[in-house]
Amino acid sequence: MPENTASSKPFLTDVKTLRDRARQHLESGDVTQSYKGDVKRTIEILQSVLATEIVCVLRYTMHAIAATGISSEGVKDEFAEHAREEQEHMMAVAERINQLGGKPNFNPEGLLSRSASQYAEGENLVDMIRENLVAERIAVDHYRELIRYFGDDDPATRVMIEEILVVEEEHANDMHDLLVAHEGRPMLQR
Ligand SMILES: [Fe+2]
Ligand SMILES: [Fe+2]
């Protein structure tokens, strides 16, 4: 076997060190020992993302049931589909908190103050669509910031948020299109 030369890439940890490290830190149970970010802070941030997603599940679920009127059938389906997707996000974020050694906070008490998005029922179909659009835009802005924040310090969390962001952008787009369809013009600039 040829000897390692100066051109071999020095930033790759050798297998033996990786194995030793993994064994040494078996007790800590999770990914934290090679974690470059601030785990406690990450968990705090993810608790807020979790609350945001839970509020989105609740709001879309309520809207899917409460939407009435002749033109609401397609919209109800859309709300229900979003509620399911928000629930997937909720689960992914809760799992990540758990992996990092935290306890996902599902406590309904204080939920709204932990959440970035609001819970608004809306008086009618157009109101509901508008409230969802606002909530999606808040989520999109918040998650874009978080992606920059996590950067290379926590690629796993960053990638998870990136995947959620793609869906939130679709949600915002769907709500925008529904608003145009039901109101003739968007209330908010795209
Ligand atoms: Fe979501
Ligand atoms: Fe969403």
Side-chain angles (χ1 to χ4, degrees):
M1 201 173 149
E3 235 178 289
N4 272 2
T5 60
S7 66
S8 63
K9 295 188 170 60
F11 53 83
L12 282 180
T13 310
D14 66 89
V15 172
K16 185 178 180 306
T17 308
L18 286 175
R19 287 178 183 168
D20 289 348
R21 205 187 280 163
R23 282 184 191 285
Q24 273 165 25
H25 296 277
L26 218 53
E27 261 88 80
S28 72
D30 58 21
V31 294
T32 50
Q33 116 283 336
S34 62
Y35 192 89
K36 281 204 212 138
D38 175 346
V39 182
K40 197 166 158 276
R41 179 81 187 114
T42 299
I43 292 170
E44 262 170 39
I45 291 169
L46 290 181
Q47 298 289 15
S48 147
V49 175
L50 177 62
T52 301
E53 294 296 339
I54 297 171
V55 169
C56 289
V57 173
L58 296 175
R59 195 189 57 254
Y60 273 122
T61 304
M62 190 277 176
H63 288 178
I65 289 164
T68 50
I70 220 151
S71 57
S72 75
E73 279 313 308
V75 183
K76 280 170 91 88
D77 291 347
E78 193 92 26
F79 288 165
E81 190 191 318
H82 285 200
R84 280 192 296 277
E85 287 167 344
E86 304 297 7
Q87 193 174 357
E88 287 171 14
H89 300 165
M90 178 189 86
M91 293 300 288
V93 175
E95 292 285 3
R96 184 65 187 148
I97 293 171
N98 187 56
Q99 277 173 7
L100 291 170
K103 193 170 88 178
N105 189 353
F106 280 92
N107 193 337
E109 202 165 270
L111 179 65
L112 270 179
S113 57
R114 297 195 300 276
S115 163
S117 61
Q118 291 158 301
Y119 181 87
E121 295 190 341
E123 292 295 305
N124 53 52
L125 196 64
V126 169
D127 260 9
M128 289 178 188
I129 298 169
R130 193 181 299 128
E131 288 302 336
N132 289 318
L133 179 54
V134 170
E136 294 296 352
R137 285 183 173 171
I138 292 170
V140 165
D141 284 347
H142 187 38
Y143 296 168
R144 278 184 189 153
E145 235 175 57
L146 291 183
I147 288 164
R148 286 193 294 272
Y149 174 83
F150 288 119
D152 289 338
D153 287 348
D154 184 346
T157 301
R158 191 198 67 229
V159 168
M160 177 192 71
I161 303 274
E162 282 170 351
E163 286 169 0
I164 294 176
L165 175 65
V166 171
V167 180
E168 308 302 9
E169 284 179 343
E170 279 170 24
H171 287 175
N173 211 42
D174 291 345
M175 289 301 119
H176 177 270
D177 291 351
L178 283 178
L179 195 60
V180 174
H182 287 265
E183 207 182 37
R185 67 188 167 84
M187 290 299 292
L188 299 157
Q189 292 303 308
R190 207 189 258 264

